Amino acid sequence: MISLAPIVIDGHMFTAVTVQLPKTTLLTVSNDLGYIMCGALDVELLNTKLSDRGIIAGRAVGVKTIEQLLKAPLESVTIAAEKLGIYKGTTGEQALLKMI
C-alpha cells in the first residue's frame, strides 16, 4: 500500500509518502528542493556516485511513521544538505524548514 499526504510545517507545504513493503516501510517527506527519508536512504551513494546531482537529503534511522521521521535526529545527510546548514543531529522537521 502507498499513501501520499500533504504536510504543512510552519506554513510551508511538503509531501509525505509511506510505502508499505514486506517487513519494512519506506518513509519520505519532500518538497521541490530536497527530502528526508527513513534508514533505506543510501547517503553514501548520493555523496559519491550521484554527487554531480547535488541531492539535498537526510536519513533518520529507527523510524516507523512520518511523525517519528519529522521528530528524529538525522543520522546522516548529503554534502548538498550540509551546504544548507543541515547536519547530522538536525531533526527531520528542522531539516525540511532549511529546504525552503
Side-chain angles (χ1 to χ4, degrees):
M1 175 185 212
I2 298 172
S3 68
L4 179 72
I7 292 183
V8 178
I9 302 171
D10 288 350
H12 302 283
M13 183 67 69
F14 298 90
T15 302
V17 178
T18 303
V19 180
Q20 299 286 340
L21 297 171
K23 300 182 183 182
T24 194
T25 302
L26 299 179
L27 304 167
T28 66
V29 180
S30 64
N31 67 2
D32 291 338
L33 189 60
Y35 60 94
I36 59 171
M37 189 171 171
C38 64
L41 180 64
D42 188 344
V43 171
E44 183 177 342
L45 174 75
L46 298 180
N47 281 336
T48 56
K49 296 186 182 200
L50 302 178
S51 64
D52 60 316
R53 298 182 187 185
I55 297 171
I56 298 167
R59 172 182 185 225
V61 295
V63 295
K64 296 182 181 180
T65 66
I66 293 294
E67 294 76 20
Q68 289 176 354
L69 178 59
L70 293 172
K71 300 300 179 203
L74 298 178
E75 177 267 343
S76 56
V77 300
T78 61
I79 294 165
E82 287 180 339
K83 290 179 182 176
L84 285 181
I86 302 166
Y87 302 102
K88 180 179 175 179
T90 302
T91 67
E93 188 173 289
Q94 291 168 334
L96 290 168
L97 290 173
K98 290 190 177 275
M99 295 179 198
I100 300 302

